[in-house]
Amino acid sequence: MQKRFEGSADIRPWLAGAMVFVTLALVGALANPYLISLMTIVLLFTFLGQSWNLMLGIGGQLSIGHALFVGLGAYSVAVLEVKYGISPWIGLLLGMFLAGSVGAALAWLSFRFEVRGIYFALLTIAAAEFARIMFSGWEFVGAMQGLFFPAPTNAIEFSMLRGDARFYYFVALALAALGIVGTELISRSYLGYVWRAMRDDEQAARALGVRTFRHKILVIAISAATAAVGGGILALVQGSIFPDSIMGMGLSVDVLIGPVVGGLGTTFGPLVGSLAAIPLNHLMSALGDSLRIPGLNNIAYGVVLVLVVWFLPDGIWPAMVRLCKAIQLPSRVWLPQPRKAEE
Amino acid sequence: MTALLEVKNLSKSFGGLVAVNNVSFALQAGRITALIGPNGAGKTTCFNLVAGAMQPTSGEVLFEGRPIENTPPELVCRMGIARTFQIVRPMRDMSVLENAMVGAFSWTRNVSEARSTAYESLESVGLAGKANARTDQLTLPDRKMLETAKALSTRPKLLLLDEVMAGLRPTEAASVVRVLQGLAEAGLTILLVEHVMRIVMEVASRVVVLHHGARIAEGSPGEVAADPRVLESYLGTGFHA
Ligand SMILES: Nc1ncnc2c1ncn2[C@@H]1O[C@H](COP(=O)(O)OP(=O)(O)OP(=O)(O)O)[C@@H](O)[C@H]1O
Ligand SMILES: [Mg+2]
């Protein structure tokens, strides 16, 4: 009888995911340089969105200061490579360690003193802004002048994670795939279940034996460490980092756009959301430039966000899934009922 | 024979309101005890105190001889006390089965083991057929049964049930009663808050009666039903049998 419930170990999502990644790999092999650099950013923000999504979508903890962790990863890679010529691989590890520790410490302090929910989110902004201001005045890390990586070469050097645009595209693709597989595995493990329980109702989860204090710290530390990896690669792709762009509020918002538009708490949401939002942003900003309407991209961005949140409140990806189910199985169409109010 | 749970002079005040007033009782292992009393008598507050969801103003709670009144709820659960919530608290974005699995993760990290335990719990409360439903597709009585299944999945030694049979049809209630009796025979200790006297008389071997936060009677169902103070407290508040 247990067998019947193994249906959740469905391999179709894996097949679909594999097909998506084969397509993306073909894009990388065939596309022009502009498309490649655009898609590299899309994939990096898919990964960053995945990290943020793990924390809110599964763990129930809102961060609006994810730039802090992204920035720590970026600076770890940049400082080690630019100042000491140490491989970014080591920088990524250092970044994971630093961001994970800072995330865990922030979470520990916050939950220890019963700061939670939206107040915890405010604390993440405060911490990110504090770090940004600190890095802006810190000469050792380049202060406002930032840090510049050695000029890119066309020779691919894997040990230094150095190469051309196409190389970075494939690094970003691998990272996004890793993020999606990793999220899916976590989601299906006991961690996924207890985190989602904690997200839905913390007190009820505690009554069922979930040690929410340590699980909140764990999910935040993992999210922070993965965000740092994304940040480290983003720094390499950009070739330079500045505190305002890599640790600013703007980046924290960019990180969460993908999962919010694509579908909170879903595995493919951040990819779908980034695919929709980032090219739109670039397109509108190009259009704005040629029409001499500065800020057109921000307006279009805002409009699309409002439309998505209004018409597809749980995101694009869940809507696509519903659509596919409705098309595939016309005899057994099942659409979720709107939630009834609690009695 | 030592008691599995011992509550000694337990009190809880909310501001000026004394919700639980110097209450003591003991639960023998493998028995079903009913905790009854009119609305607002302090039954749910007693559960919250035992389960670690609230800390008492004074008094002690001993589980297997160890004081637990300042233990957080997740550790109380892991020691072997599971509770249901009178106001049901399903995890809304998880299926019925997934809800029931959460409790199992208090003793295993193996997902398929948790799944089969959860399925057994659902089966015992008659919800197996709705395992893949969403919790908002369940009726309120079914959600109460889900609360019970979630608690059972933790494999407790002591189960605290807060009005889980409310709204069930008599035949459904009878089958739940049989399940509870079976669990008690297998060694589970149950403390049950229940308003329907017929069920209390049938299933409980002991009854503790609260009124205005104080314990006004304790004994076998027969003794308690004949106790004038109990009758008075119920009649005074318009008891619905
Ligand atoms: N968290 C709280 N804060 C303030 N007062 C509370 C709180 N919880 C319960 N009370 C009060 O304590 C008293 C006892 O409530 P409790 O819920 O324990 O009663 P009960 O016996 O479970 O009643 P019912 O049969 O209606 O469920 C009530 O007067 C209630 O209003
Ligand atoms: Mg109550």
Side-chain angles (χ1 to χ4, degrees):
Chain A
M1 78 180 53
Q2 193 189 324
K3 269 280 166 280
R4 264 191 293 156
F5 288 89
E6 298 294 343
S8 58
D10 194 350
I11 63 159
R12 274 179 305 177
W14 295 109
L15 283 179
M19 264 157 62
V20 169
F21 276 89
V22 168
T23 313
L24 287 171
L26 286 175
V27 169
L30 304 174
N32 66 26
Y34 171 74
L35 197 59
I36 286 197
S37 63
L38 178 66
M39 286 301 294
T40 305
I41 297 299
V42 167
L43 291 170
L44 281 178
F45 276 89
T46 297
F47 181 75
L48 290 172
Q50 204 69 259
S51 127
W52 182 85
N53 197 32
L54 186 71
M55 189 164 147
L56 181 69
I58 302 183
Q61 310 303 314
L62 174 60
S63 156
I64 16 188
H66 239 51
L68 169 61
F69 311 125
V70 175
L72 285 174
Y75 272 102
S76 300
V77 167
V79 167
L80 287 191
E81 174 163 0
V82 174
K83 300 233 153 193
Y84 305 106
I86 296 173
S87 162
W89 289 107
I90 309 287
L92 289 174
L93 288 178
L94 177 69
M96 285 178 79
F97 173 75
L98 285 179
S101 312
V102 168
L106 203 62
W108 188 86
L109 273 174
S110 174
F111 302 137
R112 172 77 184 69
F113 295 103
E114 308 277 327
V115 174
R116 60 181 77 205
I118 194 68
Y119 299 102
F120 173 74
L122 293 176
L123 194 69
T124 62
I125 305 188
E129 283 296 277
F130 174 81
R132 182 183 63 79
I133 292 165
M134 194 181 94
F135 277 63
S136 301
W138 189 6
E139 288 303 330
F140 176 70
V141 300
M144 290 297 279
Q145 284 72 46
L147 289 170
F148 291 81
F149 288 91
T153 54
N154 281 335
I156 291 170
E157 239 186 295
F158 201 65
S159 64
M160 289 302 279
L161 274 175
R162 197 176 291 161
D164 58 1
R166 203 175 298 266
F167 171 74
Y168 284 123
Y169 175 86
F170 280 103
V171 170
L173 181 62
L175 205 55
L178 206 68
I180 286 179
V181 171
T183 308
E184 192 59 25
L185 290 178
I186 288 182
S187 204
R188 288 170 185 223
S189 77
Y190 94 99
L191 288 175
Y193 288 88
V194 300
W195 288 352
R196 278 178 288 144
M198 164 173 101
R199 169 199 69 191
D200 282 359
D201 190 333
E202 188 174 338
Q203 295 315 315
R206 293 180 74 187
L208 294 172
V210 179
R211 287 171 288 192
T212 54
F213 185 73
R214 68 169 70 177
H215 278 294
K216 284 193 283 188
I217 293 175
L218 183 66
V219 73
I220 290 167
I222 293 178
S223 172
T226 48
V229 174
I233 303 292
L234 188 63
L236 289 169
V237 167
Q238 291 179 341
S240 57
I241 54 170
F242 306 95
D244 283 356
S245 56
I246 204 82
M247 269 187 181
M249 279 293 296
L251 191 91
S252 293
V253 173
D254 288 341
V255 165
L256 60 83
I257 295 280
V260 168
V261 170
L264 205 61
T266 62
T267 301
F268 285 101
L271 173 65
V272 173
S274 300
L275 271 173
I278 295 173
L280 178 83
N281 191 0
H282 280 234
L283 195 70
M284 285 299 152
S285 113
L287 198 65
D289 284 348
S290 59
L291 296 178
R292 294 175 205 291
I293 314 174
L296 182 66
N297 57 327
N298 289 333
I299 297 170
Y301 222 40
V303 169
V304 169
L305 267 185
V306 169
L307 288 179
V308 167
V309 172
W310 192 268
F311 289 106
L312 304 170
D314 50 0
I316 300 177
W317 174 250
M320 283 166 61
V321 171
R322 284 198 298 270
L323 193 66
C324 289
K325 280 192 179 152
I327 292 168
Q328 274 178 4
L329 312 162
S331 57
R332 292 173 48 201
V333 178
W334 179 81
L335 292 172
Q337 310 292 312
R339 266 182 201 142
K340 281 173 239 104
E342 284 292 314
E343 56 284 311
Chain B
M1 179 176 167
T2 63
L4 182 69
L5 183 85
E6 217 179 331
V7 169
K8 284 187 185 164
N9 309 107
L10 201 61
S11 295
K12 175 72 181 177
S13 327
F14 299 108
L17 178 89
V18 185
V20 174
N21 189 0
N22 205 28
V23 167
S24 303
F25 59 85
L27 303 182
Q28 301 305 325
R31 296 262 193 88
I32 302 180
T33 307
L35 184 62
I36 66 168
N39 291 111
K43 306 178 296 286
T44 298
T45 306
C46 267
F47 272 25
N48 284 331
L49 294 172
V50 171
M54 288 177 180
Q55 260 132 50
T57 312
S58 64
E60 277 185 294
V61 180
L62 300 175
F63 183 63
E64 296 179 320
R66 276 179 295 171
I68 58 162
E69 63 273 2
N70 292 313
T71 310
E74 60 273 26
L75 299 187
V76 170
C77 171
R78 284 165 171 263
M79 292 170 83
I81 303 182
R83 61 90 54 95
T84 66
F85 289 96
Q86 180 178 3
I87 312 230
V88 296
R89 305 184 80 146
M91 319 295 179
R92 301 167 49 142
D93 287 337
M94 300 172 78
S95 71
V96 168
L97 183 71
E98 287 173 333
N99 262 271
M101 285 169 72
V102 176
F105 290 116
S106 63
W107 53 267
T108 179
R109 290 182 178 183
N110 181 321
V111 175
S112 62
E113 192 172 18
R115 192 177 284 126
S116 55
T117 304
Y119 188 72
E120 281 163 26
S121 308
L122 289 175
E123 208 165 39
S124 70
V125 300
L127 272 184
K130 294 172 184 158
N132 291 320
R134 289 156 27 126
T135 57
D136 55 8
Q137 296 170 319
L138 296 184
T139 61
L140 186 58
D142 276 352
R143 287 190 213 189
K144 297 213 158 199
M145 282 301 119
L146 176 58
E147 285 287 314
T148 311
K150 282 157 76 177
L152 281 175
S153 295
T154 68
R155 299 212 167 144
K157 298 172 189 162
L158 169 61
L159 181 60
L160 309 175
L161 297 175
D162 201 346
E163 295 190 28
V164 290
M165 283 178 266
L168 288 187
R169 282 188 288 269
T171 50
E172 292 167 334
S175 88
V176 175
V177 162
R178 274 196 301 280
V179 170
L180 297 184
Q181 283 166 336
L183 290 167
E185 266 159 40
L188 181 66
T189 311
I190 298 174
L191 181 63
L192 177 84
V193 169
E194 182 52 64
H195 274 303
V196 180
M197 266 319 222
R198 195 172 32 73
I199 294 178
V200 171
M201 302 301 274
E202 182 181 349
V203 54
S205 58
R206 273 193 98 66
V207 181
V208 176
V209 189
L210 294 185
H211 187 46
H212 290 319
R215 192 193 72 181
I216 56 165
E218 182 179 352
S220 70
E223 285 161 11
V224 162
D227 191 313
R229 280 166 307 178
V230 175
L231 292 174
E232 190 191 336
S233 75
Y234 273 106
L235 292 173
T237 56
F239 174 62
H240 47 281

Short mmCIF file of all heavy atoms in Angstrom, two decimals, chain B residues 48-86:
data_model
loop_
_atom_site.label_atom_id
_atom_site.label_comp_id
_atom_site.label_asym_id
_atom_site.label_seq_id
_atom_site.Cartn_x
_atom_site.Cartn_y
_atom_site.Cartn_z
N ASN B 48 -2.11 23.28 26.76
CA ASN B 48 -1.00 24.15 26.38
C ASN B 48 0.12 24.10 27.42
O ASN B 48 1.30 24.15 27.06
CB ASN B 48 -1.49 25.59 26.19
CG ASN B 48 -2.24 25.76 24.89
OD1 ASN B 48 -1.99 25.06 23.91
ND2 ASN B 48 -3.19 26.68 24.88
N LEU B 49 -0.25 23.99 28.67
CA LEU B 49 0.76 23.95 29.73
C LEU B 49 1.52 22.62 29.70
O LEU B 49 2.75 22.58 29.82
CB LEU B 49 0.10 24.13 31.10
CG LEU B 49 -0.53 25.51 31.34
CD1 LEU B 49 -1.32 25.51 32.64
CD2 LEU B 49 0.54 26.60 31.35
N VAL B 50 0.77 21.53 29.51
CA VAL B 50 1.43 20.22 29.47
C VAL B 50 2.33 20.10 28.24
O VAL B 50 3.45 19.59 28.31
CB VAL B 50 0.38 19.08 29.49
CG1 VAL B 50 1.04 17.73 29.22
CG2 VAL B 50 -0.36 19.07 30.82
N ALA B 51 1.84 20.65 27.10
CA ALA B 51 2.58 20.48 25.84
C ALA B 51 3.72 21.47 25.68
O ALA B 51 4.44 21.42 24.68
CB ALA B 51 1.61 20.60 24.66
N GLY B 52 3.87 22.38 26.62
CA GLY B 52 4.98 23.32 26.54
C GLY B 52 4.69 24.54 25.70
O GLY B 52 5.56 25.38 25.49
N ALA B 53 3.44 24.66 25.21
CA ALA B 53 3.10 25.83 24.40
C ALA B 53 2.97 27.07 25.28
O ALA B 53 3.10 28.19 24.80
CB ALA B 53 1.82 25.59 23.63
N MET B 54 2.68 26.85 26.56
CA MET B 54 2.63 27.97 27.52
C MET B 54 3.37 27.55 28.77
O MET B 54 3.44 26.37 29.09
CB MET B 54 1.18 28.27 27.92
CG MET B 54 0.36 28.92 26.86
SD MET B 54 -1.33 29.12 27.46
CE MET B 54 -2.06 29.90 26.03
N GLN B 55 3.89 28.55 29.49
CA GLN B 55 4.53 28.24 30.76
C GLN B 55 3.57 28.56 31.90
O GLN B 55 2.89 29.57 31.87
CB GLN B 55 5.81 29.06 30.91
CG GLN B 55 7.04 28.25 30.56
CD GLN B 55 7.97 28.98 29.62
OE1 GLN B 55 8.33 30.13 29.86
NE2 GLN B 55 8.32 28.33 28.54
N PRO B 56 3.53 27.67 32.91
CA PRO B 56 2.59 27.92 34.00
C PRO B 56 3.03 29.10 34.87
O PRO B 56 4.22 29.41 34.94
CB PRO B 56 2.63 26.61 34.80
CG PRO B 56 3.93 25.98 34.46
CD PRO B 56 4.28 26.43 33.07
N THR B 57 2.05 29.73 35.50
CA THR B 57 2.37 30.77 36.48
C THR B 57 2.99 30.11 37.71
O THR B 57 3.94 30.62 38.29
CB THR B 57 1.07 31.51 36.87
OG1 THR B 57 0.37 31.85 35.67
CG2 THR B 57 1.38 32.77 37.63
N SER B 58 2.46 28.95 38.09
CA SER B 58 3.09 28.16 39.14
C SER B 58 2.67 26.71 38.98
O SER B 58 1.75 26.39 38.23
CB SER B 58 2.68 28.68 40.52
OG SER B 58 1.29 28.51 40.68
N GLY B 59 3.37 25.83 39.69
CA GLY B 59 3.02 24.42 39.62
C GLY B 59 3.99 23.63 38.76
O GLY B 59 4.91 24.18 38.17
N GLU B 60 3.77 22.32 38.74
CA GLU B 60 4.70 21.41 38.08
C GLU B 60 3.99 20.48 37.11
O GLU B 60 2.85 20.09 37.35
CB GLU B 60 5.37 20.52 39.13
CG GLU B 60 6.55 21.13 39.85
CD GLU B 60 7.16 20.07 40.77
OE1 GLU B 60 6.47 19.67 41.75
OE2 GLU B 60 8.28 19.62 40.49
N VAL B 61 4.71 20.10 36.06
CA VAL B 61 4.24 19.04 35.18
C VAL B 61 5.36 18.01 35.12
O VAL B 61 6.48 18.33 34.72
CB VAL B 61 3.94 19.55 33.76
CG1 VAL B 61 3.45 18.41 32.88
CG2 VAL B 61 2.92 20.68 33.78
N LEU B 62 5.07 16.76 35.55
CA LEU B 62 6.10 15.72 35.51
C LEU B 62 5.71 14.69 34.47
O LEU B 62 4.61 14.14 34.51
CB LEU B 62 6.22 15.05 36.88
CG LEU B 62 6.59 15.94 38.07
CD1 LEU B 62 6.56 15.14 39.35
CD2 LEU B 62 7.97 16.56 37.87
N PHE B 63 6.63 14.44 33.54
CA PHE B 63 6.39 13.38 32.54
C PHE B 63 7.45 12.31 32.77
O PHE B 63 8.64 12.60 32.75
CB PHE B 63 6.49 13.96 31.13
CG PHE B 63 6.19 12.95 30.05
CD1 PHE B 63 4.95 12.36 29.96
CD2 PHE B 63 7.17 12.60 29.13
CE1 PHE B 63 4.67 11.44 28.96
CE2 PHE B 63 6.90 11.67 28.13
CZ PHE B 63 5.64 11.09 28.04
N GLU B 64 7.01 11.11 33.02
CA GLU B 64 7.92 10.02 33.40
C GLU B 64 8.84 10.46 34.53
O GLU B 64 10.03 10.16 34.54
CB GLU B 64 8.73 9.56 32.18
CG GLU B 64 7.83 8.98 31.09
CD GLU B 64 8.60 8.53 29.86
OE1 GLU B 64 9.54 9.25 29.46
OE2 GLU B 64 8.27 7.47 29.31
N GLY B 65 8.27 11.22 35.46
CA GLY B 65 9.01 11.65 36.63
C GLY B 65 9.87 12.89 36.44
O GLY B 65 10.41 13.41 37.41
N ARG B 66 10.00 13.36 35.19
CA ARG B 66 10.87 14.53 34.95
C ARG B 66 10.05 15.80 34.78
O ARG B 66 9.02 15.77 34.09
CB ARG B 66 11.72 14.31 33.69
CG ARG B 66 12.97 13.50 33.97
CD ARG B 66 13.75 13.29 32.70
NE ARG B 66 12.99 12.48 31.75
CZ ARG B 66 13.36 12.28 30.49
NH1 ARG B 66 14.45 12.86 30.02
NH2 ARG B 66 12.64 11.50 29.69
N PRO B 67 10.47 16.90 35.39
CA PRO B 67 9.72 18.15 35.21
C PRO B 67 9.86 18.66 33.78
O PRO B 67 10.95 18.68 33.22
CB PRO B 67 10.39 19.12 36.19
CG PRO B 67 11.74 18.56 36.46
CD PRO B 67 11.66 17.07 36.26
N ILE B 68 8.74 19.04 33.17
CA ILE B 68 8.80 19.50 31.78
C ILE B 68 8.12 20.85 31.59
O ILE B 68 7.94 21.29 30.46
CB ILE B 68 8.12 18.48 30.82
CG1 ILE B 68 6.67 18.26 31.22
CG2 ILE B 68 8.88 17.17 30.77
CD1 ILE B 68 5.84 17.64 30.10
N GLU B 69 7.75 21.50 32.69
CA GLU B 69 6.92 22.70 32.50
C GLU B 69 7.64 23.85 31.81
O GLU B 69 7.01 24.76 31.28
CB GLU B 69 6.28 23.16 33.83
CG GLU B 69 7.24 23.60 34.90
CD GLU B 69 7.73 22.42 35.76
OE1 GLU B 69 7.33 21.27 35.48
OE2 GLU B 69 8.52 22.66 36.68
N ASN B 70 8.97 23.81 31.78
CA ASN B 70 9.67 24.87 31.05
C ASN B 70 10.34 24.36 29.78
O ASN B 70 11.23 24.99 29.23
CB ASN B 70 10.69 25.56 31.95
CG ASN B 70 10.00 26.35 33.04
OD1 ASN B 70 9.05 27.09 32.77
ND2 ASN B 70 10.41 26.14 34.29
N THR B 71 9.91 23.19 29.33
CA THR B 71 10.48 22.61 28.11
C THR B 71 9.72 23.13 26.90
O THR B 71 8.49 23.17 26.92
CB THR B 71 10.35 21.07 28.19
OG1 THR B 71 10.85 20.66 29.46
CG2 THR B 71 11.13 20.39 27.10
N PRO B 72 10.43 23.55 25.84
CA PRO B 72 9.71 24.03 24.66
C PRO B 72 8.91 22.92 23.99
O PRO B 72 9.24 21.74 24.13
CB PRO B 72 10.82 24.55 23.74
CG PRO B 72 12.07 23.94 24.24
CD PRO B 72 11.88 23.64 25.69
N PRO B 73 7.85 23.28 23.26
CA PRO B 73 6.92 22.29 22.73
C PRO B 73 7.56 21.22 21.86
O PRO B 73 7.16 20.06 21.90
CB PRO B 73 5.91 23.12 21.93
CG PRO B 73 6.48 24.48 21.82
CD PRO B 73 7.44 24.66 22.94
N GLU B 74 8.58 21.62 21.04
CA GLU B 74 9.16 20.62 20.14
C GLU B 74 9.88 19.53 20.92
O GLU B 74 9.89 18.37 20.52
CB GLU B 74 10.09 21.27 19.10
CG GLU B 74 11.27 22.05 19.63
CD GLU B 74 10.94 23.50 19.96
OE1 GLU B 74 9.77 23.82 20.24
OE2 GLU B 74 11.87 24.33 19.96
N LEU B 75 10.45 19.90 22.08
CA LEU B 75 11.14 18.87 22.86
C LEU B 75 10.15 18.04 23.67
O LEU B 75 10.33 16.83 23.83
CB LEU B 75 12.18 19.52 23.79
CG LEU B 75 13.29 20.30 23.06
CD1 LEU B 75 14.36 20.77 24.04
CD2 LEU B 75 13.92 19.44 21.96
N VAL B 76 9.06 18.67 24.11
CA VAL B 76 8.01 17.92 24.79
C VAL B 76 7.49 16.85 23.83
O VAL B 76 7.32 15.68 24.20
CB VAL B 76 6.87 18.86 25.24
CG1 VAL B 76 5.68 18.05 25.73
CG2 VAL B 76 7.36 19.79 26.33
N CYS B 77 7.29 17.24 22.58
CA CYS B 77 6.82 16.29 21.57
C CYS B 77 7.81 15.16 21.41
O CYS B 77 7.44 13.99 21.35
CB CYS B 77 6.58 17.02 20.25
SG CYS B 77 6.24 15.91 18.89
N ARG B 78 9.09 15.53 21.32
CA ARG B 78 10.11 14.50 21.13
C ARG B 78 10.25 13.58 22.33
O ARG B 78 10.75 12.46 22.20
CB ARG B 78 11.46 15.16 20.80
CG ARG B 78 11.48 15.65 19.38
CD ARG B 78 12.60 16.60 19.10
NE ARG B 78 12.63 16.84 17.67
CZ ARG B 78 13.44 16.18 16.83
NH1 ARG B 78 14.32 15.32 17.28
NH2 ARG B 78 13.36 16.41 15.54
N MET B 79 9.82 14.06 23.52
CA MET B 79 9.85 13.18 24.69
C MET B 79 8.70 12.18 24.65
O MET B 79 8.71 11.20 25.37
CB MET B 79 9.74 14.01 25.97
CG MET B 79 10.96 14.88 26.24
SD MET B 79 10.65 16.03 27.59
CE MET B 79 11.01 14.96 28.96
N GLY B 80 7.68 12.48 23.82
CA GLY B 80 6.59 11.52 23.68
C GLY B 80 5.20 12.03 24.00
O GLY B 80 4.29 11.25 24.26
N ILE B 81 5.03 13.37 24.00
CA ILE B 81 3.69 13.92 24.21
C ILE B 81 3.24 14.61 22.93
O ILE B 81 3.88 15.56 22.49
CB ILE B 81 3.67 14.94 25.37
CG1 ILE B 81 4.17 14.30 26.66
CG2 ILE B 81 2.27 15.50 25.54
CD1 ILE B 81 4.14 15.23 27.86
N ALA B 82 2.16 14.13 22.33
CA ALA B 82 1.66 14.77 21.12
C ALA B 82 0.30 15.37 21.42
O ALA B 82 -0.46 14.82 22.21
CB ALA B 82 1.53 13.76 19.99
N ARG B 83 0.02 16.52 20.80
CA ARG B 83 -1.25 17.18 21.07
C ARG B 83 -1.92 17.58 19.76
O ARG B 83 -1.27 17.75 18.75
CB ARG B 83 -1.02 18.40 21.96
CG ARG B 83 -0.11 19.49 21.38
CD ARG B 83 -0.80 20.55 20.59
NE ARG B 83 -1.88 21.21 21.27
CZ ARG B 83 -1.75 22.36 21.93
NH1 ARG B 83 -0.60 22.98 21.99
NH2 ARG B 83 -2.79 22.90 22.52
N THR B 84 -3.24 17.73 19.85
CA THR B 84 -3.95 18.30 18.71
C THR B 84 -4.37 19.71 19.10
O THR B 84 -4.40 20.04 20.28
CB THR B 84 -5.22 17.50 18.38
OG1 THR B 84 -6.14 17.65 19.47
CG2 THR B 84 -4.91 16.03 18.16
N PHE B 85 -4.69 20.52 18.11
CA PHE B 85 -5.17 21.87 18.39
C PHE B 85 -6.68 21.92 18.23
O PHE B 85 -7.21 21.45 17.23
CB PHE B 85 -4.50 22.87 17.45
CG PHE B 85 -3.05 23.10 17.74
CD1 PHE B 85 -2.06 22.40 17.06
CD2 PHE B 85 -2.67 24.02 18.71
CE1 PHE B 85 -0.73 22.61 17.33
CE2 PHE B 85 -1.32 24.24 18.99
CZ PHE B 85 -0.35 23.53 18.30
N GLN B 86 -7.34 22.47 19.23
CA GLN B 86 -8.81 22.59 19.16
C GLN B 86 -9.20 23.42 17.93
O GLN B 86 -10.09 23.05 17.19
CB GLN B 86 -9.32 23.27 20.44
CG GLN B 86 -10.82 23.43 20.43
CD GLN B 86 -11.33 24.06 21.72
OE1 GLN B 86 -10.57 24.44 22.61
NE2 GLN B 86 -12.63 24.18 21.83
#
